[in-house]
Amino acid sequence: MADHDKLLQRALKFIKPYRVTDGKKFRLKDVDPGDTAGFKAEDKPRAKEALADGVTLLAELQDKLYAQDQWGLLLNFQAMDAAGKDGSIKHVMSGVNPQGCQVYSFKAPSAEELDHDFMWRCLKNLPERGRIGIFNRSYYEETLVVRVHPEYLAGQKVPKKLITKRIWNERFEDIRGIERYLSRNGILVRKFFLHVSKKEQKRRFMERLDNPEKNWKFSSADAKERGYWDAYMEAYEDMIRNTATPEAPWYVVPADNKWFSRLVVAAAVIEALDSMSLHYPQVSEAKLKELEIARKILEKKE
Ligand code: ATP
Ligand code: MG
């Protein structure tokens, strides 16, 4: 247990520089995508060991979350293509019980989804109490891709009268409201922006082209989106500045080194679960009596 406490303290200290709870002072240029908090390339094996310890602790906390069945946790992942969303989700959640975890990937909205308000498809897929829900892209796309491509907004069925220059601030306000509502209901929200550099994204795209086993991951649409890099960075910065709150912080995770970004994500998930002070359900006096009777019966019989 002492080990766990130590691990926990380490995790909490580790994530501090990447957590944004008040966006007012946030500037994206202050975060270096290549940051590794002093870890060097030769420390990679040590970082991998730390991740394995983190994954074990996370699994234990998730077991209590599930058993207690009161709190829920929503993790939103946002990033440019090839920043490592899929890999982070896979590695960080590798130890958790699949029954207690739900992953949803949000793509361009379908005709049915466009027939509703933008939150509808996300609200429908929120995690139940006792579970961890992961959004691989989320309602935040409505302030990112939709902002970078005004034609997407024009293609939605939002009444024209409501599309004014205030629309992004209105969306931020609504998102903040919904996240506050969720946290007041015991569904905590944590948001991750995996911040990869433009240079590293190019390297990863080239790798997808060069390596036959990675060819399937390459999409020319992704390469096209790269052309809007600066507009995306502006949209990300404005989004974080407007939606980072104490109850639903953003983690701006340096993502040029996958082994490092996974460590930050794991530590942040541990922090969120730890903040719930989870424990296994207490058994009532009546239940204890029932258990004692069951023991006697079992002992008597073969
Ligand atoms: P990967 O490429 O790693 O498999 P991905 O998350 O990029 O994962 P894709 O199917 O490539 O998945 O892309 C999903 C696309 O859907 C993204 O380009 C994203 O911007 C777009 N998208 C998501 N939500 C919306 C939205 N509300 N409106 C328009 N486009 C959206
Ligand atoms: Mg993609």
Side-chain angles (χ1 to χ4, degrees), residues 144-156 160 163 168 228 231:
L144 295 167
V145 67
V146 178
R147 189 170 188 182
V148 170
H149 295 282
E151 67 276 17
Y152 291 178
L153 184 60
Q156 295 186 351
K160 294 286 168 281
I163 303 181
W168 310 114
Y228 297 92

Side-chain angles (χ1 to χ4, degrees), residues 133-148:
I134 296 173
F135 284 177
N136 183 352
R137 301 188 188 272
S138 64
Y139 42 87
Y140 280 106
E141 287 291 326
E142 289 291 333
T143 71
L144 295 167
V145 67
V146 178
R147 189 170 188 182
V148 170

Side-chain angles (χ1 to χ4, degrees), residues 80-82 85 107 137 205 208 217-219 221-222:
M80 296 299 282
D81 286 298
K85 280 186 285 111
K107 317 267 178 195
R137 301 188 188 272
F205 280 168
R208 290 179 179 186
K217 281 194 186 174
F218 186 82
S219 124
D222 293 353

Side-chain angles (χ1 to χ4, degrees), residues 78 106-110 113-114 116-122 137-150 152-158 163 167-172 174-175 232 235-236 239:
Q78 289 293 157
F106 293 98
K107 317 267 178 195
S110 67
E113 288 165 351
L114 285 176
H116 294 265
D117 57 279
F118 77 79
M119 271 291 186
W120 178 75
R121 64 179 183 165
C122 294
R137 301 188 188 272
S138 64
Y139 42 87
Y140 280 106
E141 287 291 326
E142 289 291 333
T143 71
L144 295 167
V145 67
V146 178
R147 189 170 188 182
V148 170
H149 295 282
Y152 291 178
L153 184 60
Q156 295 186 351
K157 295 169 77 176
V158 179
I163 303 181
I167 192 162
W168 310 114
N169 282 333
E170 287 168 357
R171 285 188 172 190
F172 293 142
D174 293 338
I175 288 172
Y232 270 109
Y236 268 109
M239 172 191 84

Side-chain angles (χ1 to χ4, degrees), residues 64 70 82 84 96-97 100 108 110 112 115 135 140 152 160 178 185 190 206 219 238 263 284 291:
K64 289 184 188 163
Q70 292 180 354
V96 308
N97 177 356
S110 67
E112 187 195 18
D115 249 341
F135 284 177
Y140 280 106
Y152 291 178
K160 294 286 168 281
I178 284 174
N185 267 271
R190 297 291 184 269
M206 293 305 263
S219 124
D238 201 37
L263 214 48
S284 67
L291 297 181

